[in-house]
């Protein structure tokens, strides 16, 4: 059973930066893709970004393009989400998820398609 361990997050002022990490629990990534999602209070989980593990193709939510960058480090079995120019509306709990089997681009943006998840980490952006 794959498990993902998240780190990073915290409280930052608007315009600041944070980096989130998502690592496997001691074994190489076996996922087809790793995605980041976020959930604000009272809202549904929302796609943020995804990267396919083998070729590194990336996908982003339109509202975070140019501000967030998803990358993977094969040697460390870790996926990162670098978040710059943060806004209060970026506040929420951020989750990374692993998708085992190949999926079309639209599938990468659906939380229901993911097979396993990290524990979540809080990101709070103050105005």
């Amino acid at each position: 059973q794959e498990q993902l361990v998240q780190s990073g997050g915290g409280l930052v002022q608007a315009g600041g930066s944070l980096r989130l990490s998502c690592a496997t629990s001691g074994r190489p990534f076996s996922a087809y893709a790793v995605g980041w999602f976020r959930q604000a209070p009272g809202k549904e989980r929302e796609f943020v970004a995804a990267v396919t593990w083998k070729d590194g193709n990336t996908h982003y939510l339109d509202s975070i393009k140019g501000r967030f960058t998803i990358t993977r480090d094969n040697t460390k079995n870790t996926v990162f989400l670098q978040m710059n120019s943060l806004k209060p509306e970026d506040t929420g709990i951020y989750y990374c998820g692993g998708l085992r089997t190949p999926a079309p681009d639209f599938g990468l943006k659906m939380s229901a398609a993911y097979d396993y998840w990290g524990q979540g980490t809080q990101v709070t952006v103050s105005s």
Side-chain angles (χ1 to χ4, degrees), residues 33-76:
V34 176
W36 285 98
F37 290 74
R38 65 187 180 190
Q39 189 164 17
K43 295 188 177 181
E44 293 186 353
R45 193 169 294 192
E46 173 186 50
F47 168 77
V48 176
V51 60
T52 50
W53 190 255
K54 184 176 181 179
D55 55 20
N57 285 340
T58 57
H59 307 265
Y60 293 98
L61 175 68
D62 285 345
S63 65
I64 59 91
K65 284 182 180 177
R67 298 191 296 122
F68 292 12
T69 304
I70 186 171
T71 57
R72 77 204 193 296
D73 186 329
N74 301 53
T75 62
K76 297 181 179 179

Side-chain angles (χ1 to χ4, degrees), residues 7-35:
S7 59
L11 173 64
V12 66
Q13 289 188 332
S17 298
L18 288 172
R19 188 175 81 158
L20 306 182
S21 300
C22 174
T24 58
S25 53
R27 56 189 290 180
F29 261 111
S30 61
Y32 166 75
V34 176

